[in-house]
């Protein structure tokens, strides 16, 4: 950083004619301490200043660490004033081209009062300006800028806490302790490099809104950075004697000089005539309210009040009654050439404009009792069009109540209730405003529905009549009481009544189809003949089964079936078409009577062809296993003879050879 500054110094020397000295401040060491205070810092005929002293570095060259500066024609915020430095003030003028680093090895001590004020023990190179004064007003103030070489743009991490210190120490005559006026506004934190610093370096920013800038080479002073213009101020007692000590010093060692610039003519004695009454601070005057302001000062010879910089005719007393908005100033004269002032800014609370004071909600629970939860924060934000941001609104059930209602408030009076919004600020300018809560209901009973949709069908969904609007969640949305659908799914419709309250009705539509009979498995030739109806997995539905088309069962198995022809009916419970199919139960005769009467004269098995068994051979045996006869399904059967002779009455056995290699065996009786 400093190598660059030396190079830039050479560059500015070469280009000095182009830039000119007017770009940088100049300093003058020839002013006496009394002149610096009376004519430069205070510059007022009202000044009552004495015991002025200045101390600083005893440089062998005779140069000083304090003096006058002139910034006329530069960008520096002050035109002139006093400079107090921890080095030679001749190094203070810009450009910012080299390191001001004076005061080493010369026995230049620090200051014990500064150490006490800042909690330090290791200050060096202290420059001190101190004097006594007697204030005319009850408040003093002056403006200053703190500049330092320690505002580094590229510091190392161990440099972040290095900081020179300064203090503006004030005490009343007879007091034993000082008050430090050089603090971050609104705090008790002393202003230093590490308490007022901007962002952009590895060092953390602190109170950055009071930091001005890190300086490049083209700056009116030879310091790396500075604060913005800050104001030191204190309350004082008019006529009392005070001592003020302005001191700056290096901390830790003599390195990296710093300076305090005190604005010329900025040391003012003013009168505190009261706090500003502002909307932003919550203490404006109420509508039609007046304010009596008293500026009475001992020794004053004349008063003149001003409103917005215009003298108020006839307002020449020590007191004045304010009746309207404005910036008020009172000039207090103590003779022909001594004058102090007091200021106060007045605003009036606005007449609040109600934007909305009736709030309606729908009853959100199932009992529809006219009570529901209101978010009072939402109501607060909608109530007025011109409520100042720092005013507080609280809600109460009655105008006399002191119990603030919770943010989520459920009305206690069904359907309609009035609560009160209380607008609170310091002055209490506003009365309670009624807020009307209205709860609407949705009394119609809404039930969800489950429906089925048959294959290739179109279904009408009907949300019911009597509602103001319908909003279906279809894509795109539909807004009619009925809609047509061609696919299964979940369909929702928002029903809105005349009170603008809504409920949602859900239709759950399941796909269904006519049953596809895949197979009928018959277990026949048994004591308990059964049939099992198998439905294809591609069938969508909940089915029931019947053998007569009237009486249905959930089971797909029929039992105890007599031999014969059957038709099975499969019905979808959700109303799709009925599927049907014929099947046969086979069985063999348990006996036959070959007596020539034309009835039951032969033994054969019916309907074998219905099960594709007509070509299966049936072998008949006597009880001893002797082969008697072979017949087929399409033959006339066995007539009870063997080799032309009648076989005796007895039990006979048969076996049907199936095409799959299995066989069915049984026995029957021949009766004569």
């Amino acid at each position: 950083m400093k190598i660059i500054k030396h190079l830039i110094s050479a560059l500015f020397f070469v280009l000095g004619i182009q830039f000119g000295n007017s770009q940088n401040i100049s300093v003058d060491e020839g002013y006496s301490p009394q002149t610096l205070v009376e004519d430069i810092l205070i510059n007022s005929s009202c000044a009552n200043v004495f015991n002025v002293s200045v101390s600083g570095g005893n440089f062998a060259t005779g140069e000083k660490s304090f003096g006058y500066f002139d910034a006329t024609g530069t960008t520096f915020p002050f035109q002139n004033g006093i400079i107090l430095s921890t080095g030679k003030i001749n190094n203070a003028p810009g450009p910012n081209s080299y390191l001001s680093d004076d005061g080493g090895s010369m026995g230049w001590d620090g200051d014990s009062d500064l150490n006490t004020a800042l909690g330090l023990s290791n200050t060096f190179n202290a420059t001190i300006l101190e004097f006594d004064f007697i204030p005319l007003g009850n408040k003093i103030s002056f403006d200053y800028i703190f500049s330092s070489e320690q505002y580094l743009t590229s510091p190392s991490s161990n440099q972040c806490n290095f900081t020179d210190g300064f203090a503006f120490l004030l005490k009343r005559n007879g007091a034993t302790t000082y008050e430090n006026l050089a603090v971050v506004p609104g705090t008790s934190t002393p202003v230093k490099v590490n308490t007022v610093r901007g962002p952009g370096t590895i060092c953390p920013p602190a109170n950055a809104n009071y930091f001005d800038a890190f300086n490049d080479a083209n700056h009116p002073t030879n310091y790396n950075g500075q604060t913005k213009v800050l104001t030191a101020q204190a309350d004082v007692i008019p006529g009392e004697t005070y001592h003020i000590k302005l001191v700056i010093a290096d901390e830790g060692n003599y390195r990296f000089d710093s300076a305090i610039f005190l604005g010329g003519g900025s040391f003012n004695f003013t009168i505190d005539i009261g706090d500003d009454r502002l909307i932003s601070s919550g203490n404006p005057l109420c509508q039609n309210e007046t304010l009596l302001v008293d500026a009475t000062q001992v020794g004053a010879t004349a008063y003149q009040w001003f409103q917005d910089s215009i003298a108020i005719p006839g307002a020449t007393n020590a007191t004045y009654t304010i009746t309207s908005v404005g910036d008020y100033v009172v000039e207090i004269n103590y003779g022909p050439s001594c004058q102090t002032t007091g200021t106060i800014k007045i605003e009036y609370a606005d007449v609040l404009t109600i934007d909305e004071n009736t709030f309606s909600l729908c009853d959100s629970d199932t009992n529809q009792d006219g009570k529901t939860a209101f978010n009072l924060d939402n109501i607060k934000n909608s109530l007025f069009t011109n409520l100042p941001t720092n005013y507080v609104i609280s809600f109460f059930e009655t105008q006399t109540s002191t119990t603030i209602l919770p943010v989520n408030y459920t009305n206690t009076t069904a359907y309609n209730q009035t609560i009160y919004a209380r607008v609170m600020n310091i002055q209490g300018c506003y009365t309670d405003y009624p807020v009307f809560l209205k709860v609407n209901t949705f009394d119609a009973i809404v039930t969800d529905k489950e429906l089925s949709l048959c294959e290739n069908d179109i279904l009408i969904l009907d949300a019911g009549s009597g509602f103001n609007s319908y909003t279906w969640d279809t894509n795109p949305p539909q807004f009619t009481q009925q809609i047509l659908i061609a696919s299964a799914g979940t369909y929702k419709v928002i029903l809105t009544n005349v009170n603008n309250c809504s409920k949602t009705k859900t239709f759950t539509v399941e796909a269904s189809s006519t049953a596809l009979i895949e197979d009928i498995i018959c277990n026949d030739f048994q004591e308990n003949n059964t049939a099992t109806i198998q439905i294809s997995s591609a069938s969508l539905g909940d089915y029931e089964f019947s053998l007569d088309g009237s009486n249905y069962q959930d089971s797909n198995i029929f039992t105890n079936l007599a031999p014969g022809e059957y038709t099975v009916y499969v019905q979808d419970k959700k109303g799709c078409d009925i599927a049907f199919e014929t099947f046969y139960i086979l069985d063999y005769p348990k006996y036959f009577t070959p007596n020539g009467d034309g009835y039951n004269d032969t033994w054969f098995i019916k309907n074998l062809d219905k099960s594709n068994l007509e070509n299966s051979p049936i072998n008949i045996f006597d009880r001893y296993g002797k082969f008697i006869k072979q017949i087929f399904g399409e033959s006339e059967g066995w007539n009870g003879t063997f080799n032309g002779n009648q076989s005796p009455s007895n039990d006979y056995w048969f076996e049907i050879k199936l095409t799959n290699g299995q066989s069915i065996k049984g026995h029957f009786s021949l009766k004569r």
Side-chain angles (χ1 to χ4, degrees):
M1 170 68 187
K2 294 305 173 182
I3 294 175
I4 295 175
K5 289 181 71 173
H6 286 297
L7 293 175
I8 294 175
S9 176
L11 177 62
F12 270 82
F13 176 79
V14 174
L15 300 179
I17 296 177
Q18 295 180 14
F19 286 97
N21 291 331
S22 63
Q23 284 193 335
N24 305 316
I25 69 168
S26 62
V27 297
D28 189 333
E29 299 176 339
Y31 285 72
S32 69
Q34 191 77 24
T35 301
L36 286 175
V37 173
E38 284 189 340
D39 298 341
I40 304 302
L41 182 61
I42 298 177
N43 191 23
S44 170
S45 60
C46 295
N48 189 352
V49 177
F50 48 96
N51 296 331
V52 180
S53 66
V54 179
S55 63
N58 296 313
F59 295 101
T61 58
E63 292 177 282
K64 295 180 180 180
S65 60
F66 60 88
Y68 171 80
F69 75 88
D70 186 354
T72 304
T74 76
T75 58
F76 198 69
F78 297 142
Q79 282 199 339
N80 57 60
I82 298 173
I83 176 174
L84 307 177
S85 174
T86 63
K88 300 175 182 178
I89 64 170
N90 283 334
N91 291 335
N96 180 30
S97 57
Y98 64 94
L99 176 65
S100 179
D101 203 17
D102 300 320
S105 302
M106 56 182 288
W108 187 3
D109 294 330
D111 181 77
S112 60
D113 290 331
L114 178 63
N115 288 343
T116 300
L118 302 185
L120 303 175
S121 60
N122 58 344
T123 58
F124 300 88
N125 298 9
T127 296
I128 304 166
L129 169 63
E130 52 189 327
F131 56 90
D132 293 328
F133 67 94
I134 300 174
L136 286 176
N138 56 14
K139 184 181 288 292
I140 64 165
S141 66
F142 56 93
D143 298 333
Y144 68 95
I145 293 172
F146 172 57
S147 298
S148 179
E149 295 281 34
Q150 289 180 332
Y151 281 121
L152 301 174
T153 55
S154 300
S156 59
S157 59
N158 65 343
Q159 293 177 304
C160 289
N161 288 322
F162 279 92
T163 173
D164 292 342
F166 72 98
F168 301 151
L169 303 175
L170 177 71
K171 67 179 178 180
R172 184 181 170 189
N173 189 29
T176 57
T177 58
Y178 281 108
E179 174 190 2
N180 181 19
L181 309 185
V183 293
V184 176
T187 74
S188 59
T189 303
V191 174
K192 298 190 293 183
V193 171
N194 61 354
T195 62
V196 178
R197 178 166 49 209
T201 74
I202 65 170
C203 299
N207 298 298
N209 51 321
Y210 298 114
F211 181 71
D212 183 20
F214 296 104
N215 298 328
D216 57 16
N218 187 23
H219 191 264
T221 71
N222 185 35
Y223 294 102
N224 286 330
Q226 65 278 324
T227 68
K228 293 180 178 178
V229 175
L230 300 175
T231 299
Q233 55 187 347
D235 295 326
V236 293
I237 300 173
E240 293 287 330
T241 299
Y242 286 84
H243 183 75
I244 191 165
K245 181 176 184 178
L246 312 177
V247 54
I248 184 170
D250 286 324
E251 179 185 348
N253 56 50
Y254 72 93
R255 304 300 306 277
F256 295 91
D257 291 342
S258 298
I260 289 295
F261 292 88
L262 304 171
S266 70
F267 197 104
N268 293 311
F269 302 100
T270 58
I271 302 300
D272 185 356
I273 57 176
D275 294 333
D276 291 339
R277 303 294 293 273
L278 307 176
I279 292 174
S280 61
S281 57
N283 66 335
L285 296 183
C286 301
Q287 291 293 318
N288 301 318
E289 184 182 1
T290 62
L291 179 66
L292 177 64
V293 183
D294 190 344
T296 301
Q297 296 298 309
V298 175
T301 59
Y303 299 87
Q304 176 62 58
W305 291 86
F306 295 81
Q307 181 181 9
D308 298 329
S309 302
I310 299 174
I312 303 172
T316 56
N317 295 323
T319 60
Y320 181 74
T321 300
I322 294 176
T323 60
S324 61
V325 172
D327 291 328
Y328 290 85
V329 176
V330 58
E331 290 182 352
I332 306 168
N333 293 296
Y334 297 87
S337 60
C338 180
Q339 184 184 84
T340 60
T341 60
T343 63
I344 188 170
K345 183 179 180 65
I346 300 298
E347 293 177 346
Y348 276 79
D350 292 333
V351 175
L352 296 183
T353 302
I354 296 176
D355 184 35
E356 182 181 3
N357 64 355
T358 299
F359 300 88
S360 298
L361 287 180
C362 293
D363 198 334
S364 59
D365 54 26
T366 56
N367 59 18
Q368 297 294 294
D369 59 357
K371 298 179 180 180
T372 197
F374 287 81
N375 187 307
L376 298 186
D377 276 350
N378 293 340
I379 291 177
K380 179 191 307 182
N381 295 332
S382 303
L383 193 56
F384 300 105
T385 59
N386 61 334
L387 183 74
T389 56
N390 62 334
Y391 280 48
V392 176
I393 296 178
S394 297
F395 294 91
F396 300 84
E397 283 194 334
T398 66
Q399 290 176 287
T400 58
S401 175
T402 58
T403 302
I404 297 176
L405 298 180
V407 172
N408 292 307
Y409 171 70
T410 300
N411 56 304
T412 57
T413 302
Y415 306 109
N416 291 282
Q417 182 171 349
T418 301
I419 61 174
Y420 296 88
R422 191 168 299 164
V423 182
M424 294 181 286
N425 68 331
I426 295 175
Q427 298 306 105
C429 290
Y430 301 108
T431 59
D432 290 352
Y433 293 81
V435 176
F436 307 101
L437 306 181
K438 183 178 181 181
V439 180
N440 296 318
T441 58
F442 191 116
D443 297 319
I445 297 175
V446 174
T447 56
D448 296 337
K449 272 192 170 184
E450 293 184 0
L451 302 170
S452 62
L453 176 64
C454 295
E455 194 173 18
N456 300 322
D457 275 1
I458 293 177
L459 187 64
I460 298 175
L461 301 185
D462 190 337
S465 61
F467 301 107
N468 257 31
S469 67
Y470 305 82
T471 304
W472 295 86
D473 66 343
T474 53
N475 187 17
Q478 299 180 71
F479 306 98
T480 56
Q481 176 181 332
Q482 297 178 338
I483 64 170
L484 300 178
I485 64 167
S487 60
T490 300
Y491 296 84
K492 294 184 178 181
V493 57
I494 298 174
L495 309 173
T496 304
N497 65 8
V498 293
N499 296 323
N500 203 34
C501 295
S502 300
K503 284 186 179 179
T504 299
K505 184 181 182 70
T506 301
F507 293 84
T508 303
V509 180
E510 295 183 355
S512 192
S513 64
T514 302
L516 176 60
I517 300 174
E518 190 173 67
D519 197 5
I520 300 176
I521 300 174
C522 295
N523 187 17
D524 43 16
F525 294 105
Q526 307 293 324
E527 291 295 326
N528 177 16
N529 296 319
T530 65
T532 301
I533 316 302
Q534 290 189 335
I535 304 301
S536 169
S537 60
S539 299
L540 303 174
D542 184 13
Y543 301 107
E544 56 186 2
F545 305 85
S546 173
L547 292 180
D548 60 8
S550 297
N551 300 300
Y552 283 86
Q553 65 183 41
D554 289 336
S555 175
N556 65 331
I557 301 174
F558 294 95
T559 60
N560 297 311
L561 297 179
E565 180 181 354
Y566 292 88
T567 299
V568 63
Y569 300 89
V570 183
Q571 175 175 275
D572 173 40
K573 291 182 179 180
K574 297 178 180 177
C576 294
D577 289 341
I578 298 174
F580 59 90
E581 191 170 319
T582 300
F583 69 93
Y584 293 86
I585 293 295
L586 304 181
D587 210 347
Y588 61 91
K590 300 300 185 287
Y591 67 92
F592 75 110
T593 56
N595 54 14
D597 61 0
Y599 177 74
N600 203 23
D601 284 335
T602 60
W603 185 89
F604 65 98
I605 299 174
K606 295 180 180 180
N607 297 322
L608 286 176
D609 59 323
K610 307 301 184 184
S611 298
N612 296 319
L613 298 177
E614 64 272 16
N615 294 321
S616 297
I618 304 173
N619 296 323
I620 299 174
F621 305 89
D622 65 12
R623 61 186 299 181
Y624 302 106
K626 179 181 177 180
F627 176 76
I628 301 298
K629 182 70 174 180
Q630 184 179 71
I631 61 175
F632 292 90
E634 293 183 346
S635 67
E636 294 180 357
W638 181 43
N639 61 5
T641 63
F642 178 69
N643 292 333
N645 298 314
Q646 289 185 344
S647 296
S649 295
N650 213 332
D651 283 343
Y652 293 85
W653 295 83
F654 71 92
E655 180 182 20
I656 303 176
K657 295 288 188 179
L658 303 179
T659 56
N660 61 6
Q662 297 179 343
S663 64
I664 298 173
K665 295 181 180 181
H667 63 90
F668 59 91
S669 297
L670 186 154
K671 298 181 180 180
R672 294 201 178 268

